[in-house]
Amino acid sequence: RSIRQQNSRIPIVPSTLPWFGNFFEFRRDPVHFMQSCRQKYGPVYKILLAGQKIIVLSHQKGITLLNKDSARCFTSTPIHRRVLTTIGGVNANQEHLLDVMDTKLYPPLMKSLSPASMVPMADNIHQNLQRELREIGHITKAPLLLRLDELISRPLYRAGCLTLFGPTFPLDTFDDFHLFDSKFSQLILGLPFVAQDATLACQRLATSFAAYLVPLWSEESTEGVSEIIAASIQEMRGLVTLQEAARLLMLFVVGFHSNTSSMIFWLLSHILQQDLSGRLRQELHAAQTTEVNTPLMSSAITEVLRWATTNTTVRVATKHTSIMVDGEPIPIRKGESVIADVQSLHYDPAIYSNPDEFMVDRFLESDSGVSIPKPLAFGGGAHLCPGRHLAQVEIKHFLSTLLQMYEIKAVIKEGTKPKLPMVDKRDLVGTLRTNEAFYVAVWPVDT
Ligand code: HEM
């Protein structure tokens, strides 16, 4: 039978609206929508989103095969092109820039962000985090009231950028970065009027990043700049203009900071809501180092990677192909898009009991030796996140440094229990987000 006939057997989620299709249900609450579709139609089905039929793949092995793509039948270029335009603000020379990213920047990044290179970097991050976190309260005895996102995002940005880009990096770019970062979903959906302030912030960021690059571009000095960034700049010189390099750098900072800070936000929210800081602090105290002997903290980090990951992997078939799902080839036609629905897997009760709950012990090694599948938070195959080790080092060091320096409690009305901030269900990008302010009281541990 022809691929067209076979392909037509994939169930299509019904919709009453021509062209828009399932767009509004999807946009209202993508997680719930995809979970209920998975229950009704199985691990592979099609949805119609604003004129485009998309295959949703919600099957662990199927997603691994899509990521692996051993026959090279899929591309993420159209998605990256969209990111370059809508988030990076790059409209010209896109094919060349994408080629530079794929062939010159990502492969060395993969190598240089290896677990071995994390040891010196972790030390550096730790010191920079300690300094930045010391700044937040000037260590007064009275508890300081802060929004949790403010407690995390600025110190993390400054410490991370200092570690990677060195002391000449314009740290005062944080506010623009934060604005730009908070409007990702609107930018990626191409809603420029809603996100005009973010577009302007993005332009200012590009100007600041270009100014930072000027001396490095002419090789005046790379002192204090991490090897990874110095090597990336060397790769780009001669291949792209300084302005283009500044835009690519900006996108790299998005990849580097955005998901990591949101993951820390949710991790701390759960810790505060469930009053877990005492247990984690005890473990840290006994271990005396963050790197080893902190299984509870590692389990908590893996659990937040399960709980807060949203779907980011989208591929387009470059030729007719198929993916095996439960022993059956699922035919995919050239030009069709496939979304890897890892989020529904992360919330599948058959894989993770009580999936809505954040269970800090979930990934602790059990006596029975039965291991639970690790979350698929970092993608896989050729596009496996090169920053996955660094992200986990940053999360661990942020949490341990904060807990060692400060007591922290959720600010709540007397007689009530801390509530988890409400997830903004419409936010699609990378990690769950919220619009709710979550206030915390922070004071130094010794007082
Ligand atoms: C918890 C934090 C993070 C999460 C959840 C995350 C998740 C992901 C995922 C799922 C992908 C694959 C997207 C796809 O399949 O198309 C990816 C790609 C990428 N990530 Fe991360 N990431 C994180 C942190 C980082 C950090 C710290 C860096 C930089 C040091 C980074 C840099 C990148 C880059 C450059 C890519 C593109 C790779 C490619 O397309 O070949 N990420 N990330």
Side-chain angles (χ1 to χ4, degrees), residues 80 106 252 255-256 259-260 263 312-313 315 377-379 383 385-387 391:
H80 288 177
Y106 292 158
F252 177 78
F256 164 62
N259 287 325
T260 313
M263 285 292 174
T312 48
T313 297
R315 302 281 182 266
F378 294 110
H383 296 286
C385 173

Side-chain angles (χ1 to χ4, degrees), residues 281-303:
R281 204 177 271 126
Q282 240 173 20
E283 182 186 71
L284 266 173
H285 196 66
Q288 297 193 334
T289 155
T290 319
E291 308 314 327
V292 282
N293 298 333
T294 49
L296 186 65
M297 191 178 289
S298 300
S299 170
I301 293 171
T302 312
E303 176 66 339

Side-chain angles (χ1 to χ4, degrees), residues 7 13 27 73 85 106 129 132 152 167 200 222 245 271 302 312 318 329 375 409:
N7 184 275
V13 177
R27 186 75 186 107
C73 296
T85 315
Y106 292 158
L129 271 173
E132 292 300 323
I152 298 164
L200 292 173
T222 52
I271 289 173
T302 312
T312 48
T318 52
K409 289 257 181 282

Side-chain angles (χ1 to χ4, degrees), residues 30-89:
V31 181
H32 178 253
F33 173 68
M34 287 197 180
Q35 275 173 359
S36 62
C37 290
R38 186 170 185 253
Q39 271 169 12
K40 275 191 211 149
Y41 305 101
V44 188
Y45 54 88
K46 283 189 191 183
I47 55 177
L48 176 66
L49 291 185
Q52 224 202 333
K53 278 222 179 88
I54 296 174
I55 296 179
V56 181
L57 182 61
S58 190
H59 183 274
Q60 186 127 14
K61 284 204 178 123
I63 291 177
T64 308
L65 290 172
L66 175 74
N67 279 329
K68 219 181 203 174
D69 187 21
S70 12
R72 298 188 177 267
C73 296
F74 294 97
T75 177
S76 50
T77 302
I79 318 302
H80 288 177
R81 214 182 281 134
R82 187 165 180 86
V83 170
L84 269 186
T85 315
T86 54
I87 297 187

